[in-house]
Amino acid sequence: MSETKRKYATDIIVDLFKEYNIEYVSANIGSSFRALWESLVNYGNGNPELISAPHEEIAVGIAHGYAKVTNKPMIVLLHDTVGLLHATMAIYNAWCDRVPLILIDANGPLDVKRRRPWIDWVHTTLLPNSVIRDYVKWDDYAISLESFIRSFIRAYNITTETPSAPVFIGVDVNVLEQEENKEVKIPKISYNSTKFYPDVSIIKKVANEIAMAENPLIIAGRAGIIHENVNRLVNFAELTGSKVIDTLEYFNFPNTHPLDATFTNVIQDADVILAIDSLVLDYYLYKTDKLSREYKPLFRSDAKIFVIGNPIMKSWASDYEDLIPAQLIRSDSDTALDTLISITSNLKLDKEIINERIHKATETHNELRRAWLNEAKNSTGKPVSLSRLNLELWNAIRESEVDWVLTSVSHGEAVKWSRKIWDWTKPGCYIGWSRGAGLGYGLPIAIGASFALKEKGKLVIDLQPDGDLLYTSSALWVASHNNLPLLIVMYNNRAYFNDADHNALIAKMRNRDSERAFKVGGEIKDPPIDFATLAKSFGLVGIGPIDSGENLSEVFKEAINTIREKKVPVLVDIVTST
């Protein structure tokens, strides 16, 4: 069959995607963007590459994970009203993580003459933008090809400039299903912004305060998204003798470095605190009572707190966090660190005091690392503890000599034990947890990371809780279909543990049956879910369930070898205590 030489509006849109070097388009296909999908398939012919997902929440999550690795936007196509509504949870998660992402929703025809009976009426929204406007950075609605082109150019620039966040374009289906107007061209216009630079006078003040401090502390949040910032943080910490807490919003600071003070109580002794690009600073500066919801500051009342960041806020969700007694320095993290290092290098610092700080920190750091390792080694019994799981997984990684990138849903004990035991040293080795905390996050994020890294010889390791996987388990098909280099390590406590624990706390307070309060609605048992068989049904290799730490390292080595040799993702189901 000879292909037509006619050109359509959606062919022009594919040219537009290519012009902006869009690598992937992700979607659960829908009839409202049928013309665009056909153009991507036949006219685009693999450029951009298409990712077919069985659910819109998965499609957006994949783009989210890709952005957390590359800091570049993927396009997600959404099918009118229903596709958009399915996607909203993942869009909110992406908003909370402030990642670049372009959402394009093909709306039903606004022109009633173009609507088919029934379906086009229930699938046409006035306007789709109103559903997600409160948790995207910018949105627009296109009613012509020309306006779509301009909207896309603007959207691309807005989502990629700092601070990043998802953007949204609604487009009428009639725009997509027209032939090309010969006069429509892609304009060579852009307004790429420059970086945000800090107020030098304030940076001088910060540098002087840290230089005079007895116990300076750096809290690093998302600075490591810019990989060069890891070395910048190391240089500045060593220059000033400052200890560093990594919030795990991204990998920021090597856990093997003696000035790493993550998971310690150094906040309470710090007299000067410098936080860099953290979106959850209040979580680390305050101690919260889980039952009463009361919280108290961990920092000294006389501590001086400075916050470097470039926040973006909207009022629908209070994701801007609580007010903190601090001075905000609006800046990109890399420019602020360069300025700090330059100014501090010219100060007269007492090298003897700084060297003594580093010496003491080294002793404490090494002692803690030894204690954590011994705790993991001494953890035995059934089910498997999270410390033992991470020890055996780390042993397998080292012996297999595999280059890895870690993903996780939360900043709970599973990933904490990874950071305590493993060597986190390479920029980008961990891409952070879900700030939005919407379930269904884990697997799509890991898949998106795998797409970003599949040609770079890296293995993505997904520390995956059971309850979260149940929301988006059909994403397993995407991993299998695309032969992604992905190891899914289930820490399966057979419960929605955090929420069940909240229920048990209330029961204890009321002097009622806490065990029953935990079980009803909290446990995922009777029957227990066979995740290995579930994985096999989607074409992965499934191993487990395993409830003992014995020979677990060998199981992980076998899984890694299978991924290498057979080019197939593997799920290992570990039954854990928490």
Side-chain angles (χ1 to χ4, degrees):
M1 180 179 176
S2 60
E3 293 191 9
T4 179
K5 295 187 181 296
R6 295 166 67 185
K7 202 164 188 177
Y8 297 86
T10 47
D11 296 341
I12 300 294
I13 291 173
V14 173
D15 289 337
L16 180 63
F17 293 170
K18 291 178 181 179
E19 182 76 18
Y20 281 82
N21 298 312
I22 299 299
E23 189 176 10
Y24 291 105
V25 175
S26 177
N28 175 248
I29 63 168
S31 61
S32 62
F33 58 81
R34 61 188 182 180
L36 179 52
W37 192 259
E38 190 281 330
S39 287
L40 286 162
V41 171
N42 289 318
Y43 178 77
N45 194 27
N47 182 19
E49 188 174 335
L50 303 180
I51 301 172
S52 181
H55 194 289
E56 287 83 2
E57 186 172 350
I58 294 167
V60 176
I62 289 170
H64 182 171
Y66 171 85
K68 291 189 84 168
V69 172
T70 64
N71 210 21
K72 297 191 299 184
M74 184 187 290
I75 290 172
V76 182
L77 302 181
L78 300 171
H79 171 47
D80 58 52
T81 310
V82 290
L84 174 59
L85 292 173
H86 273 305
T88 52
M89 181 68 259
I91 296 171
Y92 182 70
N93 278 339
W95 161 257
C96 287
D97 273 356
R98 302 295 193 265
V99 295
L101 197 158
I102 300 174
L103 302 151
I104 298 174
D105 180 75
N107 193 27
L110 292 183
D111 184 351
V112 295
K113 293 179 182 178
R114 297 280 297 164
R115 290 184 194 169
R116 298 167 295 167
W118 169 55
I119 195 67
D120 279 345
W121 290 84
V122 296
H123 284 184
T124 300
T125 310
L126 192 66
L127 286 172
N129 307 50
S130 60
V131 175
I132 46 75
R133 179 163 286 161
D134 288 312
Y135 45 99
V136 295
K137 187 179 179 184
W138 177 83
D139 68 273
D140 200 6
Y141 192 87
I143 57 172
S144 69
L145 179 57
E146 292 91 336
S147 64
F148 179 87
I149 290 170
R150 281 161 174 74
S151 291
F152 182 86
I153 293 170
R154 194 181 300 274
Y156 183 89
N157 283 278
I158 290 172
T159 197
T160 53
E161 69 184 4
T162 56
S164 293
V167 292
F168 178 92
I169 304 171
V171 58
D172 196 291
V173 66
N174 288 332
V175 174
L176 303 177
E177 299 195 355
Q178 61 180 328
E179 291 188 33
E180 176 199 0
N181 181 331
K182 301 300 182 183
E183 296 179 0
V184 175
K185 304 294 180 184
I186 299 173
K188 301 293 183 182
I189 55 175
S190 182
Y191 66 96
N192 287 324
S193 62
T194 59
K195 282 185 167 292
F196 281 86
Y197 285 81
D199 183 327
V200 175
S201 64
I202 303 299
I203 291 293
K204 285 181 179 178
K205 178 182 177 182
V206 174
N208 283 315
E209 292 287 358
I210 290 176
M212 294 185 294
E214 292 182 3
N215 295 297
L217 174 65
I218 300 167
I219 300 177
R222 303 165 69 250
I225 291 174
I226 301 171
H227 288 185
E228 294 79 8
N229 277 350
V230 175
N231 281 332
R232 290 184 176 104
L233 279 166
V234 170
N235 291 340
F236 185 67
E238 291 176 347
L239 184 64
T240 59
S242 300
K243 292 179 181 178
V244 180
I245 287 177
D246 192 329
T247 68
L248 276 65
E249 292 166 80
Y250 206 84
F251 168 71
N252 300 289
F253 196 80
N255 63 346
T256 55
H257 195 285
L259 288 171
D260 177 58
T262 308
F263 311 136
T264 71
N265 59 3
V266 292
I267 288 176
Q268 64 188 25
D269 297 321
D271 49 349
V272 176
I273 298 172
L274 173 63
I276 304 175
D277 198 12
S278 175
L279 299 175
V280 291
L281 185 56
D282 59 345
Y283 181 84
Y284 285 87
L285 290 180
Y286 294 86
K287 182 178 180 179
T288 304
D289 184 281
K290 189 172 182 178
L291 181 59
S292 70
R293 299 177 183 265
E294 294 178 354
Y295 58 94
K296 297 178 180 179
L298 292 168
F299 54 89
R300 290 165 37 171
S301 59
D302 62 343
K304 297 175 181 178
I305 305 174
F306 301 92
V307 177
I308 292 172
N310 194 7
I312 180 173
M313 302 179 193
K314 292 199 173 184
S315 57
W316 178 76
S318 304
D319 70 313
Y320 39 76
E321 310 289 347
D322 199 3
L323 291 171
I324 291 169
Q327 178 162 10
L328 173 65
I329 304 162
R330 188 174 287 275
S331 175
D332 289 340
S333 56
D334 54 344
T335 56
L337 280 166
D338 281 342
T339 308
L340 261 175
I341 292 168
S342 176
I343 291 172
T344 307
S345 297
N346 292 317
L347 296 177
K348 292 182 179 179
L349 302 170
D350 192 323
K351 299 292 185 182
E352 199 170 309
I353 291 176
I354 290 170
N355 289 336
E356 179 61 21
R357 282 182 194 162
I358 296 174
H359 176 72
K360 287 182 178 179
T362 302
E363 293 178 347
T364 303
H365 176 268
N366 292 343
E367 185 178 327
L368 264 177
R369 291 271 287 177
R370 283 193 297 268
W372 288 331
L373 183 60
N374 288 333
E375 183 177 343
K377 287 179 177 178
N378 294 329
S379 177
T380 58
K382 299 180 181 181
V384 183
S385 70
L386 293 175
S387 60
R388 183 65 180 273
L389 183 155
N390 271 287
L391 175 62
E392 300 299 336
L393 180 54
W394 177 236
N395 288 338
I397 289 168
R398 287 189 303 168
E399 291 178 30
S400 301
E401 297 181 336
V402 64
D403 198 2
W404 53 274
V405 169
L406 185 68
T407 70
S408 75
V409 172
S410 76
H411 55 314
E413 290 303 306
V415 75
K416 283 181 180 177
W417 274 108
S418 170
R419 199 182 190 281
K420 287 176 179 179
I421 295 172
W422 302 17
D423 291 346
W424 288 20
T425 56
K426 294 183 179 180
C429 68
Y430 175 63
I431 64 170
W433 46 279
S434 172
R435 179 169 171 261
L439 291 180
Y441 169 97
L443 183 56
I445 295 295
I447 289 171
S450 297
F451 273 109
L453 297 166
K454 69 177 184 176
E455 303 300 332
K456 298 185 178 179
K458 292 181 183 286
L459 173 66
V460 174
I461 301 173
D462 172 25
L463 286 179
Q464 179 63 58
D466 50 335
D468 180 83
L469 182 62
L470 291 176
Y471 277 68
T472 48
S473 58
S474 60
L476 290 166
W477 177 84
V478 183
S480 174
H481 178 70
N482 293 279
N483 301 113
L484 295 177
L486 175 61
L487 174 60
I488 303 161
V489 179
M490 300 286 303
Y491 59 102
N492 179 4
N493 55 32
R494 293 177 172 168
Y496 285 108
F497 197 94
N498 180 62
D499 297 290
D501 190 51
H502 276 284
N503 297 342
L505 282 173
I506 292 293
K508 282 181 182 178
M509 180 190 71
R510 295 173 175 176
N511 198 27
R512 293 176 179 171
D513 189 338
S514 59
E515 185 177 349
R516 187 167 183 267
F518 183 97
K519 287 182 177 180
V520 176
E523 287 191 341
I524 308 174
K525 296 179 179 179
D526 195 23
I529 296 166
D530 188 342
F531 286 100
T533 298
L534 178 66
K536 290 174 186 176
S537 74
F538 283 106
L540 289 81
V541 172
I543 303 172
I546 299 168
D547 64 358
S548 170
E550 292 184 17
N551 300 317
L552 191 52
S553 179
E554 295 301 317
V555 172
F556 286 133
K557 282 194 288 184
E558 177 191 343
I560 292 169
N561 190 54
T562 298
I563 295 167
R564 278 175 166 167
E565 293 191 353
K566 297 184 178 180
K567 309 299 181 186
V568 60
V570 176
L571 180 147
V572 182
D573 182 15
I574 313 296
V575 181
T576 59
S577 52
T578 55

